[in-house]
Every structure is written in structure tokens, then in C-alpha cells.
Amino acid sequence: MNPTLTSPPRRVTIVDVARHAGVSVASASKVLRDAYGVSEEMKERVRASMATLNYRPNAAARGLRGKTFTLGVSVPDIDNEFVSALVEGILSVTEPTEYEVLIGPAGNASSSQAKVIDAMVDRQMDGLILFSPYGSADRIAEIAGSTPTVVVSRHGASRVYDTVVGDDMLGARLAVQHLIDQGHERIAYVTHSDGDQTDPHSPQRVRERGYREAMSLLGLEARIDVVPSTWSRTGGTQAARTLLARDELPTAVFAGADVAAFGMMNVFGEHGTRLPADVSLVGYDNTSVAQLRPVSLTSVDQDASSLGEHAAQLLLERIDGRSEARHVVITPRLEVRATTGEPRRTDGAAD
């Protein structure tokens, strides 16, 4: 027989599983749904048959019965070590469960993020984790009204969804205070300028407020220097070139995010600008790359893995029926490494 004319193998159904396990279809379905009233012996028998037959539940059919056992995670991009650590934290909580996590790179525009989130809702995902989403609180509340939702890294509490954030105001103050303690006064801050620039709850706006307040409280209001860019390697590259084009380079830069700091480090290296002899550099997120000895970036650690773990746990609780809102704030700490030191002398010589 011509193999191209053979029919594809038939998909194994719950009926096949029940027959193989020697139980009723209703009992096998209860095991699949982890429903109440099923003995451990029956669970083991049915699950063994599922494994033997390589049974895969039909997600669409499960959705019709109320659950798809899928969780959606919307992130601006996946080219960021912080996002990877966040997802690892989420997976550490969900892996022992029946839920599958699907990642949606949503970009840095309100329209692209809305498209991804709407697609997740339309596919009847059982819950959503939204990382630093754009859009109004009312829009997020509308989403949470139909799908259990946890928002990560966007400030502002809500009564209808949970939030998990790092204390970005404190983190920015830690960075600025460290540089001032080293003797710096001309400290630039690289902000993220994509997306909604009017949203006061975004991490970039909150960190900028922390930077501005720290500079003002320490008598350096006249030295405030905000450099618009993006928190990406490309954005860091652009920010470094902007600073190098000035008549005088600031003695220190708070890059706002590690990923931007990495781009800055590349450009500074190409131009022979030494860290920290010519300029000190502080990142934010304390990513695994920042901790590598050749990089050794001073950075604010907000524990991305812990953010993910908290978000996943809160979401599972929401799915299980908890209705009261919970809001978790992670306290950051500063990890001092080789990219910060005393400022260069005014005559241009290194200390």
C-alpha cells in the first residue's frame, strides 16, 4: 500500500483511556478534571493508562467544560534576561500542576499588547499574568472581570486583580544614594520612552520619580539629567552615544535597567571610556549577565524570580476562587560591583 494514502493515526480519546483502565468514561473524566470523589487507586490507574496511550486532552473541549488548563503570560519582549528570570519563577510554581504556561511577546505599544491579551482571553485561558501592561486601570479591571488576572511591575492597587511589584521608588533611591556616597553629583538617568508616557504607574515613571526625588532631597535638583531612550540594548547604545556627544560626560549614569546598561557598556568600551574610572554605571534588575565577572555591573536587585513565583501563586489562588485582592511589594537591594567608584577628577585624570 502506498504510505502516502494511509490515514493518519486516530487521536486517543477519553473513551480509549477509560476502556484501557477498565473504568467508566465518567470516572476517567473526573480524574482528568481532578474532581472530588475519586480514589487514589483509580487516579493512579487512569493516569497510567493516559501515559501508556500517550493521551493528550483536547484543550478546546476542556474549555467548553469550563477549563483549558492554560495560563497566559504577556511580556513586552523576550530579549531581556529579567523577563527570562521572571518566567522561570512562574514555571517553578506551575510545573507541579496541570497548567501549561503560554508566553505572549506583546511589544511596547498599547495596541500590540491589547491584541495579545485579547487573543489570550478569546482562547479561554484560565488566568493571565500581565507584565508591566500599558492601558488604563479600568481596561485592566475589565479584563480581570472575565479572567483571573495578576499584574506584575505596574504600580497601583486594584480591588479586582492582584499586583506584584518591586519598590521602584526605593530602588532608584538606593542607586542614587550609592553614587552620591561615592562622591558623584553629575548623575544622569536613562528612562524608557516607549509606550504611554503619561502613565504614572509604569516602572519607568516610578523609577524616574525616585531618581528625581533622591537628587532633590540631597541638594542636587539643579543636576537632574534625564536621558530619553528605551530599556533595551539598542536603547542603551543610543543613550551612551548621546552622552558621549556632549561637551562633558556625566561622572555617573543610572541606566534604569540592566539591559540598557549592557548596551551602554559596549559603546563606552568601543570609545575607550573606562568603567568606573571615567564614568560609573548602575543598572537595575541584577540579571544573571550583570553577575558575570567580566561584566560585574552594579545593579539594583528586585528578585525577578520571586516576582514570578508570587504572581503564579496568586493567580492559582484566584483561579481556585479567592476574590479579595492581594498586593505584594518586593523590597529591592543594591548589589555593588566593579562598575561604580569615585568620580574622575575635574582635570580629567582618573583617581
Side-chain angles (χ1 to χ4, degrees):
M1 180 181 294
N2 188 337
T4 61
L5 299 179
T6 60
S7 300
R10 183 176 66 86
R11 181 170 183 152
V12 176
T13 69
I14 194 67
V15 175
D16 299 317
V17 171
R19 185 179 297 115
H20 187 274
V23 301
S24 68
V25 173
S27 295
S29 180
K30 280 187 175 182
V31 173
L32 176 62
R33 293 182 286 111
D34 198 22
Y36 177 77
V38 182
S39 69
E40 288 300 319
E41 185 275 334
M42 182 176 290
K43 287 181 181 179
E44 291 178 5
R45 194 192 324 168
V46 172
R47 286 170 180 166
S49 293
M50 289 178 178
T52 300
L53 298 175
N54 195 26
Y55 171 71
R56 295 180 59 199
N58 186 304
R62 296 178 90 179
L64 292 174
R65 293 193 295 268
K67 273 192 174 184
T68 61
F69 288 92
T70 56
L71 307 176
V73 179
S74 169
V75 297
D77 63 78
I78 55 177
D79 186 27
N80 187 327
E81 291 81 7
F82 177 79
V83 172
S84 299
L86 177 80
V87 171
E88 286 177 5
I90 293 170
L91 294 177
S92 72
V93 174
T94 60
E95 279 179 350
T97 74
E98 291 189 81
Y99 290 97
E100 296 294 333
V101 175
L102 303 179
I103 311 298
N108 283 299
S110 297
S111 58
S112 61
Q113 290 190 6
K115 183 177 179 180
V116 168
I117 295 169
D118 287 346
M120 291 177 172
V121 173
D122 291 344
R123 284 159 178 76
Q124 297 181 291
M125 293 187 178
D126 296 325
L128 302 177
I129 295 175
L130 309 181
F131 176 64
S132 192
Y134 295 142
S136 67
D138 288 342
R139 171 55 182 154
I140 299 173
E142 180 183 344
I143 295 166
S146 62
T147 306
T149 299
V150 177
V151 174
V152 179
S153 292
R154 184 182 191 275
H155 298 263
S158 168
R159 290 180 294 180
V160 295
Y161 56 83
D162 300 333
T163 62
V164 183
V165 297
D167 189 337
D168 287 317
M169 286 284 289
L170 174 59
R173 290 172 186 151
L174 290 173
V176 174
Q177 183 66 62
H178 168 65
L179 292 170
I180 290 175
D181 288 346
Q182 294 291 310
H184 296 275
E185 295 185 356
R186 292 188 292 111
I187 304 167
Y189 169 72
V190 177
T191 192
H192 182 77
S193 300
D194 264 4
D196 187 353
Q197 298 305 299
T198 64
D199 184 0
H201 303 298
S202 66
Q204 56 266 33
R205 295 285 80 76
V206 176
R207 288 178 202 173
E208 183 177 328
R209 287 202 301 274
Y211 160 79
R212 289 179 178 275
E213 288 188 12
M215 293 287 283
S216 298
L217 287 172
L218 295 167
L220 297 174
E221 186 172 3
R223 297 283 196 177
I224 289 174
D225 181 6
V226 177
V227 182
S229 190
T230 59
W231 288 348
S232 64
R233 282 185 174 82
T234 300
T237 296
Q238 294 170 344
R241 288 172 177 164
T242 296
L243 292 175
L244 288 168
R246 294 179 176 179
D247 292 337
E248 188 174 19
L249 188 68
T251 64
V253 179
F254 173 28
D258 282 3
V259 66
F262 300 149
M264 301 190 79
M265 292 177 80
N266 283 337
V267 174
F268 286 150
E270 291 170 358
H271 285 74
T273 303
R274 300 164 299 169
L275 301 175
D278 296 320
V279 62
S280 285
L281 181 64
V282 179
Y284 203 111
D285 294 332
N286 194 33
T287 56
S288 58
V289 174
Q291 300 171 41
L292 295 174
R293 182 170 295 181
V295 179
S296 195
L297 174 69
T298 295
S299 183
V300 178
D301 186 357
Q302 61 173 328
D303 198 345
S305 180
S306 181
L307 288 171
E309 290 169 10
H310 280 292
Q313 189 59 53
L314 291 176
L315 185 59
L316 294 178
E317 292 173 6
R318 276 274 181 185
I319 293 171
D320 286 342
R322 175 175 55 80
S323 58
E324 70 277 8
R326 290 192 57 195
H327 308 289
V328 176
V329 179
I330 304 295
T331 301
R333 67 181 189 275
L334 183 70
E335 293 289 343
V336 179
R337 299 193 180 93
T339 59
T340 53
E342 295 180 357
R344 64 183 182 274
R345 293 174 182 160
T346 54
D347 60 4
D351 289 334

